[in-house]
Amino acid sequence: MAIGVRVAPELEQQLDRLARSMGKSRSACVREAVAQYVQRFSNNDEAQHQSALITEHSDKPNWNEQLPDWTDWTA
């Protein structure tokens, strides 16, 4: 079965370079990627694991937030 997928030109170029470096066709790389995606998410275990992690850490501070600039602060 053939499936058409649209991707950004940059992603297509990256895929082509990767396929050439691996000695595979673009289609072979996409087939492998789709198979891995389906295997990973088909039984929903990964989604449940990610949801549990989000819930577990939702009450903790967000360490990615930008800190205030304290360079001009004096005691």
Side-chain angles (χ1 to χ4, degrees), residues 58-74:
S58 64
D59 61 334
K60 296 182 179 164
N62 183 356
W63 298 110
N64 293 325
E65 290 179 10
Q66 180 67 37
L67 294 175
D69 181 11
W70 296 101
T71 56
D72 64 346
W73 184 78
T74 56

Side-chain angles (χ1 to χ4, degrees), residues 5-17 26:
V5 178
R6 294 185 191 274
V7 297
E10 300 82 23
L11 182 58
E12 180 184 21
Q13 292 169 358
Q14 290 174 337
L15 175 60
D16 286 341
R17 283 193 299 270
R26 179 193 301 175

